[in-house]
Amino acid sequence: MDQIIIFDTTLRDGEQSPGASMNAAEKLRLAVQLERLGVDVMEAGFPAASPGDLEAVRLIASRIRNAQVAALARASKEDIDKAWAAIRDAAHPRIHIFIATSDIHLEHKLRMTRPQVLKAAAEAVRYAKSFTENVEFSAEDGSRSDPDFLCQIFQAAVEAGATTVNLPDTVGYAMPEEYGALICYVLKHTPDIHKVILSVHCHNDLGLATANSLAGLKAGARQVEVTINGIGERAGNTSLEEVVMALYTRRELVGLTTRINTREIHPASRLVSMITGIVVQPNKAVVGANAFAHEAGIHQDGVLKNRMTYEIMEPETIGLSANRLVLGKHSGRHAFKNKLAELGYDLSDKDLNRLFERFKELADKRKEILDEDIEVLVAEEILRVPDKFELDYLTVVTGTVAVPTATVKLRIDGVEAQGAGFGVGPIDATFNTIGKMTHTRSKLVRFSINAISGGTDAQGEVTVRLQENGLVALGKGADPDIFIASAKAYVNGLNRLEYLKNNPSLSAEQRAL
Ligand code: KIV
Ligand code: ZN
């Protein structure tokens, strides 16, 4: 079986999803999970996009030791210098250069001729090669480009030293047979392409990203570019879990493997959703909440008799353990610490004590504490910035006849403050009251709520995205009571905004803590 190179771009193309931007600490946390998942390459960002992006890529490059860390650059010396500055400390750095090749992009965006683009691509690859052996070249909008020009530019890139060439379906326009045929064409008509890896990179505008990527692999491409949960620009990118599980489940038919530890798929999906606040649709293939749920009686009956009747994958394969009960009210500190280690957290004694207290509070309210509950506690406590505002208590009154009212007690710089206010609903009343009490003027640009596990006693996990004068902060809160979870998320977002406002010169890593 041939092994496919999994190139994950959740941290770069995925982050281009509307509202999905992540801070440096969140990116690092995700990078660690991607490494655990076993991706071969992770594209950590686009350093020329902003100083913050450069810092985040640098941070990831300095910590990740097993996977290759790629940085994106346009075909210009300035971009390549920034990309290299960000990844020079990586154990396995890769510079990823792109330039558009379709006539539409050449004429309207780049205003360059084909010979100019060809020259720019070759020069950029040659320049990147002076820093590292490992250079990828991408022909943006490749699927809408003249196939012969594609072959020409790939040949030029290979001659200049590219070790991977990538053919993106940038706008998600291709059909599977068409994309597969284009890959075949390029393999046949680019003289030196067999010396390098040919890669596929598809977008999901017509819901065909996975099908197109698989068609490309079947035609001979050996790298696939993907994101967790398929997040990305517009309708998203090809999703990692779909490609990996299709190759795994149908391995006898397809004959291709990956190095992915499939048991880390579900934790990775959860983490991306928790960090970005982008909830996974329940019917999403592989990682959706309903992906392994059997509602119809006839299906349930079949599954009970033999799982293979209606299940083509075992939930355990993607890390959804059948026995997800982890800890309870009587679990001690030692068991809690072991569980955290199992989930990949190595915390200081101080953080562990803080978290253990929160765990005990939660265990008093819920009988069963699942892995997901613990992940959320970590996100709340460990990603937390020093608190200017603290929520002391919240009471809401609501109902079919009552005017929704919130009474809130906060600690602002340690001093108690109390307030009350109305709203069109209890959450609006809570946010209005907190906003007034803290004299903050942030705009709520996203609010999402998610039940962490099943049952009416599940923790509600709320994510808010707040914006003020160009600064954006994400706040998270979890609690079995969704009003309290919302208030916690809002207060956490305000604290993070406050921290960013007061520390304009901090490095990306410090700004994120
Ligand atoms: O979709 C695309 O064309 C890209 C390139 C930058 C690789 O993301
Ligand atoms: Zn893309």
Side-chain angles (χ1 to χ4, degrees):
M1 282 205 188
D2 269 7
Q3 191 156 297
I4 298 301
I5 296 166
I6 299 290
F7 177 113
D8 181 278
T9 183
T10 310
L11 291 162
R12 198 277 299 171
D13 225 353
E15 209 215 5
Q16 288 174 220
S17 304
S21 58
M22 305 171 223
N23 67 34
E26 291 166 337
K27 284 185 180 175
L28 180 61
R29 173 81 193 91
L30 181 52
V32 169
Q33 176 59 29
L34 291 173
E35 190 168 49
R36 199 174 294 143
L37 179 64
V39 305
D40 299 284
V41 188
M42 64 177 81
E43 185 162 53
F46 183 9
S50 72
D53 227 15
L54 192 149
E55 275 302 314
V57 177
R58 202 202 303 264
L59 178 64
I60 291 167
S62 69
R63 302 284 177 85
I64 296 298
R65 296 291 94 183
N66 297 324
Q68 296 178 39
V69 177
L72 186 69
R74 285 166 294 199
S76 80
K77 282 192 169 176
E78 297 73 32
D79 272 32
I80 294 168
D81 286 339
K82 285 184 178 150
W84 182 245
I87 55 168
R88 60 187 312 155
D89 292 334
H92 312 285
R94 174 184 291 200
I95 298 178
H96 179 191
I97 294 161
F98 76 99
I99 192 164
T101 49
S102 68
D103 289 336
I104 307 174
H105 279 235
L106 262 60
E107 190 183 332
H108 301 288
K109 187 182 85 173
L110 297 178
R111 296 178 203 283
M112 286 168 83
T113 62
R114 286 187 185 184
Q116 285 171 330
V117 168
L118 207 60
K119 184 162 173 271
E123 276 176 9
V125 171
R126 221 169 285 120
Y127 185 61
K129 206 67 186 178
S130 67
F131 298 113
T132 172
E133 253 314 291
N134 190 352
V135 176
E136 173 168 339
F137 170 74
S138 280
E140 191 193 9
D141 207 17
S143 61
R144 292 194 302 167
S145 303
D146 169 10
D148 291 323
F149 182 54
L150 261 186
C151 296
Q152 236 184 316
I153 204 161
F154 281 159
Q155 178 64 21
V158 175
E159 281 171 9
T163 40
T164 302
V165 291
N166 179 35
L167 200 171
D169 181 28
T170 304
V171 290
Y173 180 72
M175 290 283 163
E177 317 75 59
E178 183 189 26
Y179 190 65
L182 184 59
I183 293 287
C184 278
Y185 189 88
V186 162
L187 281 171
K188 197 161 164 208
H189 295 97
T190 310
D192 287 332
I193 200 139
H194 296 285
K195 296 181 180 164
V196 303
I197 298 285
L198 177 57
S199 167
V200 289
H201 175 119
C202 299
H203 281 263
N204 205 30
D205 298 66
L206 294 173
L208 294 170
T210 299
N212 285 338
S213 297
L214 291 173
L217 295 179
K218 190 158 171 259
R222 285 296 173 264
Q223 173 176 286
V224 59
E225 304 198 351
V226 288
T227 62
I228 305 287
N229 296 342
I231 66 167
E233 196 76 41
R234 306 180 311 278
N237 288 56
T238 305
S239 78
L240 178 146
E241 61 277 8
E242 291 176 14
V243 169
V244 168
M245 288 313 290
L247 295 182
Y248 176 78
T249 307
R250 303 304 311 273
R251 54 194 177 279
E252 269 144 36
L253 178 80
V254 187
L256 300 171
T257 59
T258 70
R259 283 182 54 248
I260 294 296
N261 173 3
T262 59
R263 288 181 179 267
E264 293 295 339
I265 287 180
H266 188 255
S269 164
R270 283 274 314 138
L271 186 66
V272 167
S273 157
M274 204 158 70
I275 288 176
T276 60
I278 299 176
V279 176
V280 177
Q281 77 192 58
N283 58 326
K284 166 83 179 64
V286 184
V287 291
N290 294 346
F292 293 93
H294 302 280
E295 279 295 320
I298 199 164
H299 287 204
Q300 288 175 349
D301 181 54
V303 169
L304 286 175
K305 286 177 176 144
N306 185 331
R307 281 166 81 159
M308 279 168 67
T309 50
Y310 286 100
E311 245 175 42
I312 59 163
M313 299 171 265
E314 290 180 350
E316 293 81 3
T317 314
I318 63 149
L320 254 178
S321 132
N323 177 15
R324 286 154 72 237
L325 170 64
V326 286
L327 298 171
K329 186 173 167 159
H330 302 295
S331 307
R333 213 168 165 282
H334 188 65
F336 184 63
K337 191 175 174 183
N338 282 349
K339 186 74 221 175
L340 285 169
E342 204 183 287
L343 293 172
Y345 298 105
D346 178 18
L347 303 184
S348 67
D349 280 350
K350 194 167 146 239
D351 283 344
L352 183 69
N353 289 343
R354 207 166 79 212
L355 213 58
F356 188 60
E357 250 175 62
R358 286 285 315 275
F359 161 72
K360 282 289 182 190
E361 280 168 25
L362 184 64
D364 272 341
K365 294 184 191 163
R366 281 186 61 116
K367 277 204 304 286
E368 302 173 344
I369 307 292
L370 310 179
D371 286 0
E372 293 92 320
D373 293 308
I374 293 179
E375 292 272 5
V376 166
L377 286 186
V378 175
E380 270 199 341
E381 289 294 328
I382 308 306
L383 292 176
R384 172 159 286 170
V385 298
D387 286 346
K388 176 180 174 70
F389 309 117
E390 277 176 78
L391 180 70
D392 230 4
Y393 80 60
L394 166 73
T395 307
V396 291
V397 178
T398 189
T400 48
V401 289
V403 176
T405 311
T407 308
V408 179
K409 190 152 117 196
L410 295 178
R411 242 172 249 279
I412 304 178
D413 289 323
V415 180
E416 272 185 16
Q418 202 160 353
F422 306 110
V424 292
I427 291 173
D428 189 42
T430 304
F431 288 9
N432 287 344
T433 309
I434 294 174
K436 240 186 330 184
M437 292 170 70
T438 53
H439 305 288
T440 47
R441 282 195 300 278
S442 60
K443 196 168 144 216
L444 178 70
V445 289
R446 179 187 281 257
F447 175 90
S448 67
I449 186 157
N450 187 25
I452 294 174
S453 51
T456 49
D457 68 342
Q459 285 205 88
E461 178 189 29
V462 174
T463 306
V464 297
R465 188 171 289 273
L466 305 179
Q467 202 172 46
E468 191 175 336
N469 295 334
L471 293 173
V472 178
L474 201 72
K476 299 188 192 81
D479 197 277
D481 180 319
I482 57 166
F483 301 133
I484 298 176
S486 304
K488 281 183 182 174
Y490 194 59
V491 168
N492 180 231
L494 291 178
N495 277 319
R496 293 175 73 133
L497 258 186
E498 205 61 27
Y499 190 65
L500 292 179
K501 274 191 256 174
N502 295 334
N503 296 281
S505 61
L506 289 176
S507 71
E509 182 174 16
Q510 288 167 318
R511 283 164 77 86
L513 294 174

